[in-house]
Amino acid sequence: GLSRSAEEVTRRKSCLFKADKSAQQPELQDMEVPAINLKAIILVHWLLTVWSCMFEWFPSSYTWSNFSVLGLGVWAVAQRDSIDAVLMFLISLVLTILTDIIQIAIYYPIFDVKFTGQIRDTFHFCAGMSILSLLLKPVSCFFVYQMYRERGGEYNVNFGFPSMTRNRDSYQSIDPQDTSPAAAHQYAPAEEGKAGPRVY
C-alpha cells in the first residue's frame, strides 16, 4: 500500500511539472527578440547615405559604392528565396566598411580645415551621418548574416572555384586486373610455351 501511494504521488508531481513547463513555453517564446526586417536595414542606410552626400566632400566612389550596395539589398528583398542575393549584399556591406573607413580618414581632415561658418556646420552634419552609417554597418552585417543562414546558407562560403585536389581512388587502371582462377589458367600455358634464354 505504501509503494502504491508513493507511485501516485510521483505521478502527480510529474503531471504538475509538465503542466508548469507547458505554461512557461509561450512566455519564453514571447520574450524572443524579433528579427530585423531587411527593408528596415536598407531604408536606414539609404537615408544616412543621402544625408552624407548632401554636401560635396566625398568623392564619387563613396556615392557609387554605397548606392550599389543598396541596389543589391533591393535585389535581396525582391528575391526572397535567393541565397546569392543575400550573400552578395553581405559581402558588399563588409567591403564598404573598409572603403568608408579609408575615405573618411582621408577626406575629413582636409575639409575640416578648409570650411568655416555655416558651411562647416553642414559639413559636420554630413560627416556625422557618414560615420553613423559606418558604425551601423557591422550590426547590419550581423542581421543580414542571420537572414543568409535562414535562407539555407552555409558557414563555408563557396565561390564556385574548382578544387585542385586529386583523388587517386577515382582513377581506374587501364590494364584489366582479373584474378580469377580461369584467367590464371589461360596465362599459364603461354608462359610455359615461352622459350628460355639461349646460351651461346
Side-chain angles (χ1 to χ4, degrees), residues 6 32 43 64 72 113:
E32 291 180 357
L43 181 62
W64 280 103
L72 292 174
V113 180

Side-chain angles (χ1 to χ4, degrees), residues 57-162:
W57 67 285
F58 270 132
S60 59
S61 60
Y62 178 85
T63 305
W64 280 103
S65 62
N66 281 276
F67 280 109
S68 61
V69 169
L70 296 177
L72 292 174
V74 173
W75 176 35
V77 171
Q79 300 291 332
R80 295 182 179 180
D81 298 330
S82 177
I83 301 174
D84 295 333
V86 181
L87 179 61
M88 291 295 295
F89 182 49
L90 177 61
I91 294 173
S92 59
L93 273 177
V94 174
L95 292 177
T96 52
I97 291 174
L98 178 61
T99 57
D100 289 354
I101 290 173
I102 295 173
Q103 291 174 353
I104 291 173
I106 292 174
Y107 290 97
Y108 183 83
I110 297 173
F111 287 93
D112 190 21
V113 180
K114 184 177 180 180
F115 297 113
T116 57
Q118 294 181 354
I119 298 177
R120 188 176 183 182
D121 296 335
T122 305
F123 163 72
H124 284 167
F125 174 78
C126 296
M129 294 299 103
S130 62
I131 294 171
L132 180 59
S133 177
L134 176 60
L135 294 176
L136 289 177
K137 281 183 179 180
V139 182
S140 301
C141 290
F142 174 75
F143 288 111
V144 173
Y145 179 74
Q146 284 187 343
M147 297 174 191
Y148 169 73
R149 292 289 300 160
E150 289 175 358
R151 294 190 183 187
E154 300 178 354
Y155 288 107
N156 297 326
V157 179
N158 186 10
F159 292 97
F161 295 110

